[in-house]
Amino acid sequence: MRLRRVATTVVLGVALVCVAPASSPAVGREVAGATGASGPAAGATTGQGSAAVLHAGQPSASRPGAAAAWPVPTGTVTAPDDRTLFTDRQGRVLRLRGLNLGKTDTVTEERIADLARDGFGLVRLNIQWEKVEPRRGRYDTDYLRYLDHILDWADRYRVLVLIDWHQDVYGPAFGHNGIPAWATRTDGLPFVPNPDDWFADYFQPAVQAAFTHLYDDADLRAAQGAAYAKVAEVLRGHRSLLGYDLFNEPFGPVPGDPNDPQNQIDASAALERGRLADMYRRLIRAVRSSDRDAWLFLEPTVLIGQGVPTSLPAFDDPRPGADRLGYAPHYYDTAVESGADWDPSSRFIERYEVAVADYPTTNRLPVLVGEWGPPRATTPGNAQLMQRQVASMDRFAAGWALWYDCRADNGGGYCAYDRNGGPAPGKEPAFAPYAPAVAGIPDSESYAATTRTYTLTMTADRTTRRAWTVLSLPAAAFPHGARVSVTGGGPAVVVGAGGPGQAGLLLPTARPGAAVRVTVTAR
């Protein structure tokens, strides 16, 4: 299916209904399961020109009856600007926002609940092969059970989970994490860690040899595929399972001078066209041997952050039906990673958007930015970078996961939260209201923090009459609840969606092509 924008100059009148506060189980059931305008949720009296009042921040552990309309990606659609976007079974356009967690810390139910409370609907869960299979041929059943519990919690709080097969500088043999020590072959080459620049460790001869063996040795390739198939077997069937990010920040041998930028570019292109592409084909087959429904995401090398387009080829998905493949680049500014305050004149964002566009557009892949965000956003440039990146990703991505779900004083490190659990200074843009599910064609979205005003514009299509648009209105933005007004599309029903800080919007008489504007203000 291909979405096409329909121009209209007609803006229809306002009609809103306030049915019940967000904590009402009855309202939660109807909003979650509704497929049309009739039913209990639409049964309140219509108030022409009125505004619905919603109550944010009321906790709900179960969200009764919500499973039927939980926004879970089952397909894609091509937007008018040629982006490939996720859609669910109702045809709604989905937009995913979330956080990374689980790299070296323990994930608890409370953390999943807090993340959902703050409006995030996605977890990029960092797992490592070294933990799945600490000894060759022996899987850690306790660790696999732990992963299964995390997805149980995600099921409960309606949070999607992207399993990220994580590695940094190969693995524990080099003081980092990822590939097991038993799967590390160095050919006796030296490794001298750089205490001031962990990324420089990738260029050490021993690390280069280890990556080469991982890509080339038949027994390691088979063991890696078996580990992926095992995890997919354990986790399949969870309604919260979005899919798998197949290999975090892929790296490989860099023959010649590693400090020569052109040499790095040439080595990256050769890796993506050759060894890495072969790995992805193996891992796609491995996961599909256990799970035919999960989405599988491909990462380019980190040079995408320097404005270097990927050289990855197209991939086939052996599952029956439409492919479920996606593209998961990271979005980091090298200078900021090295400690500098962001410089807008560097044109980092403009260069990145150009570099990232062609591959997913050509191959019709949804883009999910797996990692992004400055180490801290308390400096003027980095605070601006946070704002600019959120707006940028709305232009090219179907979703994103900020790095990282942790707490620190004054927004230290990469932490999304301050010590008290509020947004870290400067990182508030990641906590802004948004629409996780849009029954129509999303056009624009904005949030003005100074006035606490959120605006969504959309064009009605054939889904608008029968499916609910979901608004995430977290307490960080609307601590005392919110007022929602709608223009365009005819009479509107606005209700609480049975969960903290959410609202549902239905336009039962909207005509395809109608321009709809949703405005949310603080009470």
Side-chain angles (χ1 to χ4, degrees):
M1 176 172 76
R2 182 178 176 87
L3 287 172
R4 295 189 182 278
R5 189 182 305 273
V6 181
T8 178
T9 57
V10 180
V11 179
L12 304 179
V14 180
L16 294 133
V17 180
C18 180
V19 178
S23 58
S24 168
V27 172
R29 283 193 293 272
E30 183 56 27
V31 171
T35 56
S38 62
T45 58
T46 302
Q48 184 73 24
S50 63
V53 179
L54 307 165
H55 302 277
Q58 300 186 27
S60 172
S62 59
R63 301 188 182 185
W70 183 5
V72 176
T74 57
T76 62
V77 67
T78 302
D81 58 7
D82 281 337
R83 283 182 301 160
T84 298
L85 303 175
F86 292 115
T87 57
D88 67 2
R89 294 189 185 280
Q90 299 184 67
R92 296 181 297 181
V93 173
L94 307 184
R95 292 111 71 81
L96 310 182
R97 293 189 178 186
L99 302 175
N100 280 263
L101 74 165
K103 179 178 176 179
T104 56
D105 48 331
T106 299
V107 180
T108 63
E109 180 177 0
E110 181 181 15
R111 292 183 70 184
I112 300 295
D114 288 347
L115 181 145
R117 174 206 64 199
D118 291 332
F120 297 111
L122 174 69
V123 165
R124 183 174 181 260
L125 180 64
N126 312 146
I127 74 169
Q128 296 88 31
W129 183 7
E130 64 178 282
K131 294 180 180 178
V132 172
E133 191 180 5
R135 289 185 292 169
R136 185 164 191 163
R138 300 291 297 272
Y139 298 116
D140 187 331
T141 55
D142 288 339
Y143 183 68
L144 293 174
R145 192 177 299 114
Y146 161 73
L147 297 180
D148 193 47
H149 285 324
I150 294 174
L151 269 75
D152 284 338
W153 301 327
D155 290 343
R156 181 174 304 167
Y157 293 98
R158 297 200 303 157
V159 172
L160 295 173
V161 178
L162 175 63
I163 301 294
D164 160 44
W165 281 95
H166 205 83
Q167 71 80 32
D168 289 309
V169 193
Y170 198 83
F174 306 114
H176 296 272
N177 60 78
I179 316 301
W182 60 260
T184 306
R185 296 169 181 168
T186 67
D187 297 334
L189 295 172
F191 173 71
V192 181
N194 185 333
D196 299 320
D197 183 2
W198 69 269
F199 191 81
D201 291 351
Y202 273 110
F203 298 100
Q204 287 289 315
V207 177
Q208 298 276 298
F211 273 108
T212 300
H213 283 292
L214 177 66
Y215 290 122
D216 293 353
D217 293 4
D219 63 327
L220 294 184
R221 288 164 23 178
Q224 184 187 29
Y228 278 54
K230 181 64 176 180
V231 170
E233 177 187 349
V234 170
L235 300 183
R236 68 186 176 196
H238 276 283
R239 55 184 180 169
S240 59
L241 179 62
L242 172 63
Y244 296 87
D245 188 334
L246 294 175
F247 200 66
N248 181 71
E249 296 187 351
F251 209 85
V254 182
D257 182 3
N259 297 312
D260 179 355
Q262 187 58 52
N263 190 47
Q264 290 186 27
I265 292 172
D266 294 342
S268 175
L271 176 70
E272 290 179 329
R273 288 193 297 263
R275 287 182 166 111
L276 181 60
D278 289 342
M279 173 187 277
Y280 281 151
R281 294 185 187 102
R282 292 193 301 272
L283 298 180
I284 288 170
R285 291 194 299 269
V287 176
R288 285 290 178 247
S289 70
S290 297
D291 188 337
R292 68 178 188 177
D293 293 325
W295 290 84
L296 306 179
F297 291 86
L298 314 161
E299 279 200 43
T301 68
V302 295
L303 288 186
I304 191 76
Q306 298 180 34
V308 179
T310 186
S311 294
L312 284 170
F315 293 90
D316 295 322
D317 187 350
R319 73 180 298 272
D323 290 354
R324 288 190 176 178
L325 300 177
Y327 186 52
H330 293 179
Y331 197 178
Y332 289 126
D333 184 304
T334 302
V336 172
E337 292 292 289
S338 299
D341 193 22
W342 184 61
D343 179 7
S345 69
S346 68
R347 298 190 60 79
F348 160 68
I349 287 176
E350 293 83 356
R351 290 186 294 106
Y352 182 92
E353 289 186 6
V354 171
V356 80
D358 184 64
Y359 182 76
T361 300
T362 300
N363 295 286
R364 296 301 181 201
L365 301 177
V367 176
L368 197 162
V369 177
E371 295 182 21
W372 68 281
R376 63 170 62 234
T378 53
T379 56
N382 285 355
Q384 184 181 355
L385 177 60
M386 283 289 302
Q387 295 176 328
R388 292 277 302 274
Q389 283 191 287
V390 170
S392 170
M393 288 183 288
D394 280 346
R395 293 191 288 270
F396 69 82
W400 50 255
L402 177 69
W403 188 271
Y404 187 81
D405 179 9
C406 57
R407 299 185 180 191
D409 292 330
N410 300 318
Y414 287 89
C415 289
Y417 293 96
D418 64 20
R419 185 62 68 184
N420 297 320
K427 296 192 175 179
E428 294 88 355
F431 291 77
Y434 70 107
V438 177
I441 306 170
D443 294 324
S444 66
E445 187 177 45
S446 64
Y447 174 65
T450 53
T451 60
R452 295 188 184 273
T453 301
Y454 165 76
T455 303
L456 168 71
T457 64
M458 54 185 276
T459 301
D461 66 6
R462 60 188 181 85
T463 68
T464 307
R465 291 189 178 197
R466 56 183 174 81
W468 293 83
T469 291
V470 178
L471 307 177
S472 174
L473 309 174
F478 301 107
H480 306 295
R483 295 181 181 274
V484 180
S485 63
V486 184
T487 57
V493 179
V494 180
V495 299
Q502 284 194 347
L505 166 67
L506 184 68
L507 296 167
T509 64
R511 296 183 178 181
V516 179
R517 183 181 186 88
V518 182
T519 303
V520 183
T521 54
R523 292 187 62 199

